[in-house]
Amino acid sequence: MERMWMVRGDSGRLFDDFREQNAVALGWHELADVAKPGISKDEIASVYAKRRPEYKKGTILSGSSQVWRFVNEVKAGDKVVTYSPSLRRYLVGTIKGPLVADPNPSQPGMSLRRSTEWLGEVDRDQLGLATRNSLGSTLTFFQVPASAAAEICAALGRKVDDDGFVSAPIFEPVARGTALEEESREQLQDLEARSFELIKDRVTALDWDEMQELIAGLLRAMGYKTRVASPGPDRGADIVASPDGLGFENPRIVVEVKHRSGAMGSKEVRSFLGGRHKDDRGLYVSTGGFSKDARYEADRAGIPLTLWELDDIVRALVDYYDKLDSETRQLVPLKRLYWPT
């Protein structure tokens, strides 16, 4: 019987490193010297509390529980999945080796490590809503529910036995007493993470013209006036934003929008930069993300250049939603939720 675990990897920022190094890992370098098979949850929590006295009890218990499970419950042969928020893609593999603990790893976030054989990738859009929700927990490490694991493996052309899986954490009733505030905060963080992924799903479902209008609407909400290019050759400028709307007043922001066309590389970034004036400001939008070479190219660009991927679009959408015009809001309708604090 196979089990499947989710390992987020520094909120997805270690996705490429996991893939390239054939491994999954947790951080918690403070616990690497004591994280040995057979250690109890209480022992881990005691060490964690002493080494991180500034942390609240709920944070200590949550972290020590995740470390304990990674040390004691994960076995060779278990399935594992990690997620890239920028690519909106799950990487699925099989645990192959024992735990390797390093208190001072060469790369942050890799203190507790297990070698992994990667089997393939699954796009988030291939999965049903229930599965996507179950994978949206804010925890760094948890066991994937049976139904979600089965659907992920089915997307890879594999089948698993549904029996014996333990569901990933979902909302629990908020306890009364001194833990009320801490549990409420953790539930809110979990809800925010799930909501963020659902908004990303809605944004991804837009067609290219709608995406272009969404970006233009966001720039207007930020205080700029925009000119959107007509369909056809645009010479690398889908949108021009400026204080006067004509591009005569600085800053003149030239925007390129790429939607659902895969990660943009250094060649595409160089092409965009090639048509820019020295006083221009650049905004390159790619819902498929950017390669490492593309980011390097942007860093050494001769003009200020900002790269926006899907997460950046959604953050801007949430931050400026109240200032969006009605036409832009209709592209991604959202409702405000109030939560006790």
Side-chain angles (χ1 to χ4, degrees), residues 285-303:
V285 179
S286 170
T287 56
F290 298 91
S291 69
K292 291 182 179 179
D293 289 341
R295 294 190 178 280
Y296 173 75
E297 198 71 36
D299 288 340
R300 66 189 189 100
I303 66 169

Side-chain angles (χ1 to χ4, degrees), residues 24-324:
V24 291
L26 302 184
W28 283 292
H29 62 89
E30 309 94 332
L31 302 175
D33 62 330
V34 298
K36 297 177 174 57
I39 191 172
S40 70
K41 291 181 184 179
D42 289 342
E43 289 175 308
I44 293 178
S46 177
V47 172
Y48 199 19
K50 290 178 181 177
R51 295 178 179 178
R52 287 292 188 177
E54 71 276 18
Y55 285 177
K56 294 183 179 180
K57 182 178 180 181
T59 301
I60 294 294
L61 293 178
S62 176
S64 57
S65 178
Q66 291 174 69
V67 170
W68 182 86
R69 298 195 78 185
F70 191 75
V71 170
N72 290 290
E73 293 191 354
V74 176
K75 307 296 181 185
D78 287 353
K79 293 295 176 286
V80 65
V81 60
T82 191
Y83 182 59
S84 168
S86 60
L87 299 176
R88 303 183 74 255
R89 190 176 301 154
Y90 296 95
L91 183 61
V92 187
T94 302
I95 298 292
K96 302 300 290 185
L99 177 74
V100 175
D102 183 358
N104 299 295
S106 58
Q107 183 173 355
M110 304 285 282
S111 294
L112 303 172
R113 175 186 178 118
R114 289 183 182 272
S115 62
T116 303
E117 178 186 0
W118 296 116
L119 305 174
E121 299 181 6
V122 176
D123 288 338
R124 182 173 166 82
D125 291 338
Q126 292 179 254
L127 305 175
L129 178 61
T131 294
R132 298 200 303 266
N133 284 343
S134 69
L135 297 173
S137 172
T138 57
L139 293 178
T140 298
F141 171 72
F142 59 86
Q143 189 169 352
V144 176
S147 57
E151 186 174 359
I152 292 169
C153 288
L156 287 172
R158 296 174 56 84
K159 295 181 179 180
V160 296
D161 183 355
D162 287 347
D163 296 332
F165 284 95
V166 178
S167 295
I170 59 175
F171 295 134
E172 298 289 345
V174 177
R176 296 183 178 275
T178 57
L180 175 61
E181 184 176 336
E182 178 70 14
E183 292 192 26
S184 178
R185 182 186 63 81
E186 291 179 357
Q187 289 186 2
L188 177 59
Q189 290 177 341
D190 196 46
L191 179 62
E192 288 176 335
R194 293 169 188 259
S195 299
F196 195 82
E197 292 300 324
L198 291 174
I199 297 172
K200 286 166 64 173
D201 291 341
R202 293 294 294 268
V203 171
T204 301
L206 298 176
D207 61 30
W208 184 86
D209 290 338
E210 291 172 328
M211 179 62 68
Q212 183 176 251
E213 292 297 336
L214 176 62
I215 300 302
L218 286 170
L219 289 168
R220 291 193 297 272
M222 294 176 184
Y224 297 98
K225 296 179 181 179
T226 62
R227 179 160 49 86
V228 181
S230 301
D234 54 23
R235 297 183 181 179
D238 295 315
I239 304 166
V240 175
S242 62
D244 63 351
L246 298 174
F248 296 138
E249 293 185 24
N250 289 328
R252 178 179 183 267
I253 303 173
V254 182
V255 187
E256 174 78 354
V257 179
K258 298 295 185 184
H259 183 37
R260 286 181 151 181
S261 53
M264 293 296 104
S266 57
K267 179 181 178 180
E268 289 82 6
V269 173
R270 283 196 300 271
S271 177
F272 173 71
L273 290 169
R276 305 283 66 83
H277 186 274
K278 65 181 180 64
D279 293 327
D280 283 346
R281 304 292 186 268
L283 173 61
Y284 202 124
V285 179
S286 170
T287 56
F290 298 91
S291 69
K292 291 182 179 179
D293 289 341
R295 294 190 178 280
Y296 173 75
E297 198 71 36
D299 288 340
R300 66 189 189 100
I303 66 169
L305 175 60
T306 296
L307 303 182
W308 264 16
E309 53 190 20
L310 190 56
D311 278 20
D312 301 300
I313 298 170
V314 175
R315 289 190 188 98
L317 178 61
V318 173
D319 289 343
Y320 289 92
Y321 195 77
D322 289 341
K323 296 182 179 180
L324 291 177

